[in-house]
Amino acid sequence: MTAPSALTRAILALGSNLGEREGTLASAVADLVDRPEVRLQNVSPVVTTKAVGGPEGQPDFLNMVIAVDTTLSPRELLAHCQAVELAHHRTREVRWGARTLDVDIVTYGDERSDDPVLTLPHPRAAVRAFVLYPWSLMEPNATLAGESVAALAAKAPDMEGIVHVLDVPPAVVP
């Protein structure tokens, strides 16, 4: 993975199922773009979803997707996303467990990588409606690995039960 010489479009997925979820998402977006190397381009509506995987009985998630243009390399962007998670009290005790904030890099330009630290595109994005559906609302013509994001969302196993909550989180305007 190489550092870009110009701006690269990245799609980031954000989710929260602990604490003040709406406020956390809005604050996290602000934190993610609070550096000159990351510019907010678009924001999806917020949806509520059941937890996918992980321990039973978790609270519902609020999920959203943002598009950013960045000059950070993929690994630098990952480190930045993880720092924002940490600032919002993210702990990693149980895989796919409840969390105050989760930020995933879904795509980074056309970059493809099987690196175990950062696989691009995100290895499970194509089957996760909680990522695909808000992304399709934000960018109706978006594609992932050559397929329509909207079509992928429609056939994702977790599509049933997704509820549109907010058009844009409070205090987040691209």
Side-chain angles (χ1 to χ4, degrees):
M1 288 185 238
T2 59
S5 57
L7 291 171
T8 300
R9 174 66 48 99
I11 301 296
L12 307 178
L14 291 79
S16 175
N17 74 337
L18 291 178
E20 177 23 59
R21 301 171 305 158
E22 284 179 29
T24 296
L25 291 179
S27 179
V29 171
D31 292 346
L32 286 164
V33 299
D34 189 28
R35 48 186 300 183
E37 305 93 344
V38 183
R39 300 179 191 160
L40 184 63
Q41 297 302 313
N42 210 345
V43 179
S44 79
V46 176
V47 298
T48 185
T49 66
K50 301 291 181 202
V52 174
E56 294 286 324
Q58 291 187 54
D60 289 349
F61 272 86
L62 289 185
N63 290 286
M64 65 180 296
V65 174
I66 64 173
V68 298
D69 286 342
T70 185
T71 56
L72 296 176
S73 71
R75 284 189 182 247
E76 289 169 333
L77 182 60
L78 176 63
H80 177 52
C81 291
Q82 290 174 339
V84 170
E85 288 177 336
L86 189 58
H88 288 273
H89 312 290
R90 165 75 188 264
T91 60
R92 297 177 188 274
E93 297 166 11
V94 177
R95 184 175 179 156
W96 297 330
R99 59 210 96 151
T100 55
L101 180 64
D102 186 38
V103 181
D104 288 329
I105 301 172
V106 180
T107 64
Y108 181 91
D110 295 326
E111 184 95 17
R112 297 211 173 280
S113 168
D114 290 327
D115 186 319
V117 174
L118 179 59
T119 303
L120 292 168
H122 189 285
R124 291 170 297 283
V127 295
R128 290 183 165 173
F130 65 84
V131 171
L132 298 164
Y133 180 65
W135 186 7
S136 72
L137 295 174
M138 179 180 78
E139 296 180 342
N141 297 320
T143 60
L144 178 62
E147 290 193 60
S148 160
V149 168
L152 289 169
K155 64 184 179 183
D158 62 319
M159 184 60 191
E160 188 175 313
I162 289 183
V163 177
H164 187 113
V165 179
L166 298 168
D167 283 333
V168 176
V172 175
V173 178

